[in-house]
Amino acid sequence: MKKHLFLIIYTILLAGASVFSILSTFVIAKEKDDVPKLGIEETDGIDKDKGKFYTDSNGYQCYKDNNIEITIVRKREYETEIYLADIKINNFKLLKTALAEDKFGLNIKEKPSKIADRVNAILAINGDYYGFREKGYVLRNGVLYDPERTFRDYKSDILVINNDGSFSIRKESAQTSTSIYEEGAWQVFCFGPGLISNGNILVNEKSEVAAHKASNPRTAIGYIEEGHYVMVVSDGRTEASAGLSLYELALVLDEYGVKDAYNLDGGGSSVMIFNGKIINQPTSNGEDIRERSSSDIVYIGY
């Protein structure tokens, strides 16, 4: 009897520990207000300009001011609705990021549309969902959070937005986050994989993020030339939109003339916000069209 009691108690404790571990990893928010940081988010002195939102002769949604020009191109390929934001800015520091609740930590989440509203974003997409994991470099708006964070795994591609606004796709384990910060990098994202580098497609028809299915809602960001970027979001997992494979996503970007491109968090996280409105159809399971809370956004704004 004692032996059985011991086994029962042991099983309960083990199950409790497992549940706590899962909750701690995926659910319980942990703000790290005392985490070491390097750098101070720059106020770069760009004069804010009041622009206008309008619809052009092609029916595309647009925005323009003296510093920013955005056109949202909506297209259908691979049985999927695709939203491509063509972005021209005269200062790369207008390509910014923002964190959920303006806090750094694990599982701190907020709807991307609310983050975008708080920072007055003209255009925004979801980021790399850094708060879902405890590993991976986090350098945002010139600030390196928690330099002691290690890389996710030896295969991880990271995107570095350099101090001239250009993109570099690198292997995360090739250098430390501190050395990237010391280069003067503006942003670092850790999700991947890299899609295009120096005009060469990096993925193929078999490429996928972990074990997820091939066709998904997707989010990506790309670089064409100095001051010229694209952000892409596709729908998926619905009867109206099948979703894209990584290779199809890369082809869409390549056809648009993108020289460097990187895959951000996708699936139910994929969302594009323009002029304060969600313009795609975000969904996790195809049954509900709704926005998923996340830990960060990438946006264009002042």
Side-chain angles (χ1 to χ4, degrees):
M1 183 67 184
K2 290 183 178 179
K3 181 179 180 180
H4 290 305
L5 182 61
F6 172 78
L7 288 174
I8 292 170
I9 294 173
Y10 176 78
T11 301
I12 292 172
L13 290 174
L14 185 62
S18 298
V19 170
F20 178 79
S21 178
I22 293 170
L23 290 173
S24 178
T25 301
F26 301 113
V27 178
I28 300 172
K30 301 176 185 177
E31 181 185 357
K32 298 184 177 181
D33 55 0
D34 59 345
V35 70
K37 291 193 295 186
L38 293 177
I40 299 173
E41 187 168 332
E42 297 183 31
T43 54
D44 43 45
I46 301 172
D47 291 332
K48 294 183 180 180
D49 187 32
K50 186 177 181 180
K52 66 174 182 177
F53 293 93
Y54 62 97
T55 302
D56 70 7
S57 58
N58 295 314
Y60 296 149
Q61 298 179 66
C62 304
Y63 172 87
K64 187 173 184 179
D65 66 29
N66 289 334
N67 303 307
I68 301 167
E69 186 174 346
I70 300 171
T71 301
I72 307 294
V73 178
R74 183 171 176 175
K75 57 198 302 184
R76 186 171 180 84
E77 292 188 30
Y78 307 107
E79 300 181 347
T80 298
E81 292 299 314
I82 301 168
Y83 310 80
L84 190 150
D86 185 293
I87 304 157
K88 294 180 180 177
I89 50 180
N90 64 13
N91 189 317
F92 71 88
K93 291 183 178 179
L94 292 166
L95 195 167
K96 296 185 174 183
T97 53
L99 306 182
E101 299 184 9
D102 198 26
K103 299 175 182 177
F104 174 80
L106 189 66
N107 296 320
I108 297 174
K109 298 180 289 186
E110 189 175 13
K111 289 184 177 180
S113 60
K114 290 188 176 181
I115 307 175
D117 181 65
R118 186 172 63 251
V119 298
N120 297 313
I122 297 164
L123 168 73
I125 56 175
N126 60 288
D128 68 356
Y129 210 150
Y130 83 89
F132 184 67
R133 55 191 179 272
E134 293 183 309
K135 294 183 179 181
Y137 303 156
V138 182
L139 194 157
R140 305 296 160 87
N141 300 338
V143 177
L144 175 61
Y145 293 86
D146 196 357
E148 299 302 317
R149 277 174 68 117
T150 58
F151 53 83
R152 188 167 45 156
D153 62 61
Y154 73 95
K155 296 179 181 178
S156 295
D157 291 337
I158 60 170
L159 171 63
V160 179
I161 301 182
N162 302 302
N163 59 9
D164 61 356
S166 64
F167 283 13
S168 295
I169 294 171
R170 313 179 191 181
K171 289 297 180 186
E172 189 175 22
S173 57
Q175 59 189 133
T176 66
S177 58
T178 303
S179 66
I180 298 172
Y181 166 78
E182 290 172 348
E183 293 175 13
W186 178 235
Q187 314 282 356
V188 172
F189 299 103
C190 177
F191 196 90
L195 300 170
I196 304 173
S197 180
N198 296 318
N200 299 309
I201 294 178
L202 302 177
V203 292
N204 57 44
E205 293 177 349
K206 295 182 180 180
S207 299
E208 194 40 74
V209 179
H212 298 294
K213 61 183 182 179
S215 295
N216 278 296
R218 303 284 184 181
T219 302
I221 186 169
Y223 174 84
I224 296 178
E225 60 184 0
E226 183 178 354
H228 194 179
Y229 304 89
V230 296
M231 294 179 182
V232 175
V233 166
S234 78
D235 291 336
R237 299 179 182 172
T238 68
E239 292 183 1
S241 290
L244 300 178
S245 69
L246 288 174
Y247 184 60
E248 290 166 345
L249 178 60
L251 289 177
V252 169
L253 289 157
D254 183 61
E255 289 167 2
Y256 207 77
V258 171
K259 298 296 187 295
D260 302 282
Y262 187 78
N263 180 61
L264 293 168
D265 187 23
S269 297
S270 289
V271 66
M272 181 176 283
I273 300 133
F274 184 64
N275 192 17
K277 299 177 182 178
I278 297 171
I279 63 173
N280 69 310
Q281 299 289 305
T283 181
S284 291
N285 54 24
E287 297 177 0
D288 300 315
I289 304 301
R290 57 186 172 86
E291 183 184 11
R292 174 193 284 178
S293 293
S294 186
S295 62
D296 56 319
I297 63 169
V298 187
Y299 75 98
I300 302 295
Y302 293 98

